[in-house]
Amino acid sequence: MIDALESHKFPKNVRIITSHAFAKRTLFGTDNTFDPAKGYAKDEVASLLDVNSWIKKQFPNINTKKLRKIQNSIVRNIIRTVEHFQQSSMNQICEENVPWRKRSNSLGDSHWEANVSTNNYVSWARELFDFVESQCRYLAGESSTDPGSQIGITHDAYLKFLQLHSSEYDDAFQYDAAIIDEAQYMTDCQASLLWGETMKKKARVFLVGDEHQRIYRFRGATECFETASASANFSLSGSFRFGNNIGSVANAVLKGAGSTVTLKGMSLDPGEIIPRNHIEQGVYRHLQNTEWNMSIS
């Protein structure tokens, strides 16, 4: 399972597919017209969970403007709680998934947030994801019961659904080998799905990645790559993309980051290291040639 754009370069017995495409195909098939949502819509979530009624019960005399403001804030944190759960390898939504600022209240009893507990967020988030699971089964043709209300199912939602129920779909994991590229970008959910027990029972798994290039922490990427249990580890210590000059600087940076691997630049072109002051002068000249109205000091 390699994420690559040029699939024609691989043999016919190799399937090139992203983790989300693998999950979508497994659950909904190749002919399903299901179109995932980019994110949960706040109004849809508020309606499904009837957050409005809960707020009115807590604050009987609240005006419409304040009601709307509180509803948006509560729903936003419910969605974040579900999103954190979807990125995790957990089996059930718990307090840890609630945004940390909402786990402890230091705002005082006069503030409305003092009336919204961590348990409230956990309960709402569980109700939302229960509905998501019901809708996933309905869209997959596994249930004839229409969940009724429509909540847009996101890419991470159906991926999480497959991770939770992977043992029910073990036929989809019939690979001799699975090569997971850019493994350092994976969330705990993706790791559990792609190199968890269900996959390891079927295939020999190879993880390819660089822990020093993890740039997707904002969407839940963790250290699951380097903490994975492996029977053997191999380092890519040479690259034809650069020569010795750039390689020496890269080694200094890697050493500062705690790496024990020595990198070798194998390009015939040794490369040129540009002094910082030259870079700054180049940026200055570029800004001078633009039409931006700004001062440079």
Side-chain angles (χ1 to χ4, degrees):
M1 293 163 56
I2 308 169
D3 178 14
L5 297 177
E6 301 177 272
S7 59
H8 64 277
K9 293 185 177 180
F10 295 88
K12 292 183 178 180
N13 63 335
V14 175
R15 173 176 288 179
I16 294 88
I17 193 169
T18 65
S19 59
H20 288 85
F22 169 68
K24 186 179 179 184
R25 180 179 297 185
T26 298
L27 294 172
F28 311 116
T30 56
D31 299 326
N32 198 302
T33 57
F34 161 60
D35 186 21
K38 293 182 179 180
Y40 292 110
K42 290 201 291 282
D43 286 343
E44 293 177 352
V45 172
S47 176
L48 175 71
L49 304 178
D50 197 15
V51 175
N52 195 303
S53 295
W54 184 90
I55 297 172
K56 288 180 178 179
K57 185 177 180 180
Q58 296 294 317
F59 311 99
N61 301 318
I62 193 170
N63 61 55
T64 303
K65 184 177 180 180
K66 186 68 172 179
L67 172 66
R68 184 69 176 177
K69 180 180 179 181
I70 293 176
Q71 175 180 291
N72 284 339
S73 181
I74 289 176
V75 171
R76 183 169 58 249
N77 286 298
I78 294 171
I79 292 173
R80 286 175 179 170
T81 300
V82 171
E83 289 173 340
H84 291 166
F85 171 67
Q86 291 173 171
Q87 294 164 359
S88 77
S89 59
M90 297 176 179
N91 294 323
Q92 189 177 46
I93 294 174
C94 64
E95 182 177 330
E96 186 178 335
N97 303 127
V98 179
W100 69 270
R101 289 183 180 276
K102 306 302 173 184
R103 295 180 209 166
S104 59
N105 175 51
S106 59
L107 298 172
D109 294 338
S110 61
H111 197 282
W112 68 264
E113 288 190 328
N115 293 276
V116 188
S117 69
T118 302
N119 288 337
N120 287 136
Y121 284 119
V122 170
S123 179
W124 280 319
R126 285 180 178 178
E127 185 177 349
L128 172 57
F129 196 77
D130 283 346
F131 179 84
V132 168
E133 287 196 287
S134 298
Q135 194 158 333
C136 280
R137 290 200 182 278
Y138 177 72
L139 292 171
E142 299 173 10
S143 172
S144 59
T145 304
D146 188 339
S149 300
Q150 291 297 310
I151 292 288
I153 303 301
T154 67
H155 290 284
D156 281 351
Y158 66 73
L159 186 88
K160 180 63 179 180
F161 177 84
L162 181 59
Q163 181 257 323
L164 290 171
H165 305 284
S166 60
S167 60
E168 301 175 29
Y169 302 90
D170 59 354
D171 286 348
F173 295 82
Q174 299 291 343
Y175 295 97
D176 296 317
I179 303 175
I180 316 300
D181 195 20
E182 303 289 10
Q184 78 276 3
Y185 293 154
M186 301 299 172
T187 64
D188 286 337
C189 176
Q190 289 172 303
S192 176
L193 176 65
L194 299 178
W195 62 88
E197 291 304 314
T198 303
M199 180 66 84
K200 288 193 293 185
K201 288 178 182 178
K202 304 289 184 178
R204 191 172 185 184
V205 180
F206 298 85
L207 304 183
V208 182
D210 182 353
E211 63 188 273
H212 299 296
Q213 293 190 38
R214 183 174 293 109
I215 60 175
Y216 290 119
R217 287 190 184 276
F218 69 90
R219 64 166 302 276
T222 68
E223 290 78 13
C224 53
F225 162 60
E226 56 265 39
T227 58
S229 176
S231 58
N233 291 284
F234 304 93
S235 296
L236 177 63
S237 57
S239 175
F240 289 97
R241 293 183 176 181
F242 50 82
N244 287 331
N245 288 343
I246 294 175
S248 64
V249 175
N251 280 321
V253 174
L254 289 171
K255 184 178 180 180
S259 176
T260 58
V261 176
T262 300
L263 188 62
K264 183 179 180 181
M266 301 175 69
S267 172
L268 295 178
D269 181 357
E272 181 181 0
I273 307 303
I274 303 175
R276 178 180 175 181
N277 63 322
H278 288 190
I279 296 175
E280 293 172 347
Q281 290 172 8
V283 172
Y284 180 84
R285 285 195 298 272
H286 172 72
L287 293 176
Q288 281 185 318
N289 292 330
T290 66
E291 298 180 356
W292 300 344
N293 183 20
M294 60 183 295
S295 62
I296 307 172
S297 58

